[in-house]
Amino acid sequence: MRNTFHLKTLAVAIAAFSVASVTNAAGLDRSGQDVTAFLQDGTYAEAVYTYIDADVSGYDNGRVATDDAGYVQGNKTGDIAEYYDFFRYGVKADVNDTFSVGILYDEPFGAAAAYTGDSNFTGAPTAAIDGLIASQLNGKVPGQTITSAEGLDTYVTGVQQQLETGREQVRQAEAAIAGNPALEPVLRPQIDAGKAQVAAGEAQLAPLEGLNGYAAGQLANNEGTNVEVRSESITAILGAKFGANKEFQVYGGPVAQRIQADVKLRGSAYGPATGYTSHISPDQDYGYIVGASYSKPEIALKAALTYRSEIDHSMKIAETYPLAGLLAGNPAEASQTTAMEITTPQSVNFDFQTGINPTTLATAKVRWVPWSDFSIVPPLYNQVSKNNPTYGPDGLALVEYDDDQWQVELGLAKRVAPALAISGTVGWDSGAGNPVTSLGPIEGYYSAGLGAKYNVTENWAVSAGGKYLWFGDAKGQLPTKQIVGDFQDNDGYIFGVKLSYQDTK
């Protein structure tokens, strides 16, 4: 039985699963932080390329910047999900029958979203700016009701003309005195009164000119909302086997992780935050991985439980927030470069496989990530939010999630020829809450995948796989909890290819 049902007999089927297995999940999860390369027998190496193309589209909120009490279907957003690809590499070797070493590279977290077309996430933020002007000037300009950027510009231009007329009258009176000093007693009181009136008008107009300049600057910005997050991770693993038949193994090691991001908030959907831009410079920091596995080669059984720690990053962030300059009355206050803390989440992966018969393998993967503990809190963005007492002393985060992620994938692999195996998977991802950030508006997914592996030689193999995903419907929301979009009936696909080498001798 052992000779016909050994794991080595099923090796052609085993590796077919990890080509396009865990991708495009909740939060910023991308690679699934797979460690199965380290769990292979003998000397093993793999290089995997994964390509993701999702269609995520919906409608904006017709009430943005005028009434956030509910959602009314507005304009189509178009497809906001940009294609996304990444690589994964793994090398593992046995030092002896007890110790094993390995190096894994993946790109664990990421995002790529861009709004285009005609919606509240793109173009001149007319509704947002008009709404801000109406709220800022409500009852503050005697005898005037100003509710739009156009109305403000008209009013400011008119007052500027009146003030210039007053200045010209003062200049003419002073010229008259210069030409005829005898007019001094008559004209000096008028000159002083005129200067006082002009000075008072200039003081009253100054904040309105600032608001008018801010509005003009924002209305000239026709870009679309965009976000991109990239990460890289290198994991070094040392494993030690024990037990009568070396069936148990414990493993662990350090993890080096590098992450960077760019965010642009544009259009009326983001209200006063429109025009916000941030660049988070690359930062590398460190965590660890620990795990334990059990194997029973007689029935091709392997089970592994792997924990990855959270990793704290201290990152340099350059922010531009036009509203900050307006509130401070100083355009220079709209930009700052400071330090920001981000903690990427911990995770737990469970990997399981067992032989059903000498040519068929069943697998299961379960992953948990506590995205409810994760947030991105840029300092300038957060500080501006504290000006609104509604958001309390802590202010707002730019990105945060309500729920933890659970992910399950089940599969079967069948060896149909001595050098060929095929596989199939079904999966479910819980998502990280709904409503969710407008920068990634899906609530989990269901998936179905197919894969195949062909052994080119005894040691070298090529695998390919694809997966189709049905995304869960989700409402897109701002950090303020205002609903700004509704995204339904979306889907995507994943394609992966892998080159692998294995020597179990």
Side-chain angles (χ1 to χ4, degrees), residues 7-208:
L7 178 62
K8 184 178 179 180
T9 312
L10 292 175
V12 72
I14 294 168
F17 280 95
S18 59
V19 177
S21 57
V22 186
T23 46
N24 214 82
L28 302 177
D29 216 7
R30 284 298 177 264
S31 73
Q33 299 179 299
D34 187 82
V35 298
T36 53
F38 180 76
L39 302 176
Q40 302 301 315
D41 284 348
T43 300
Y44 180 81
E46 68 176 23
V48 184
Y49 171 77
T50 302
Y51 174 90
I52 305 169
D53 194 349
D55 182 357
V56 179
S57 60
Y59 294 86
D60 65 18
N61 188 346
R63 288 182 170 174
V64 168
T66 56
D67 179 4
D68 62 3
Y71 173 82
V72 172
Q73 182 174 295
N75 295 327
K76 291 183 178 180
T77 65
D79 183 9
I80 73 168
E82 296 188 305
Y83 84 87
Y84 193 95
D85 61 352
F86 59 87
F87 289 90
R88 188 174 79 239
Y89 307 100
V91 178
K92 177 260 179 182
D94 293 329
V95 178
N96 51 41
D97 64 352
T98 298
F99 294 103
S100 301
V101 294
I103 297 288
L104 305 177
Y105 168 88
D106 71 342
E107 300 178 27
F109 306 115
Y115 285 88
T116 58
D118 182 17
S119 74
N120 282 327
F121 300 96
T122 64
T126 304
I129 298 304
D130 287 351
L132 177 65
I133 288 172
S135 64
Q136 289 283 310
L137 300 184
N138 183 25
K140 296 182 179 179
V141 182
Q144 298 290 326
T145 301
I146 301 174
T147 60
S148 68
E150 182 179 5
L152 175 61
D153 186 64
T154 298
Y155 177 75
V156 168
T157 300
V159 174
Q160 288 174 335
Q161 292 173 346
Q162 292 174 6
L163 290 175
E164 183 55 35
T165 298
R167 297 187 193 98
E168 180 60 26
Q169 291 174 345
V170 168
R171 285 194 292 268
Q172 291 176 357
E174 289 180 331
I177 292 175
N180 185 1
L183 296 175
E184 175 77 24
V186 177
L187 295 182
R188 181 55 58 188
Q190 297 178 15
I191 291 173
D192 292 342
K195 286 182 176 180
Q197 290 176 352
V198 169
E202 289 174 339
Q204 293 174 354
L205 185 62
L208 298 182

Side-chain angles (χ1 to χ4, degrees), residues 229-244:
V229 180
R230 283 281 187 177
S231 68
E232 298 175 285
S233 178
I234 297 178
T235 303
I237 307 179
L238 173 65
K241 298 177 182 177
F242 60 95

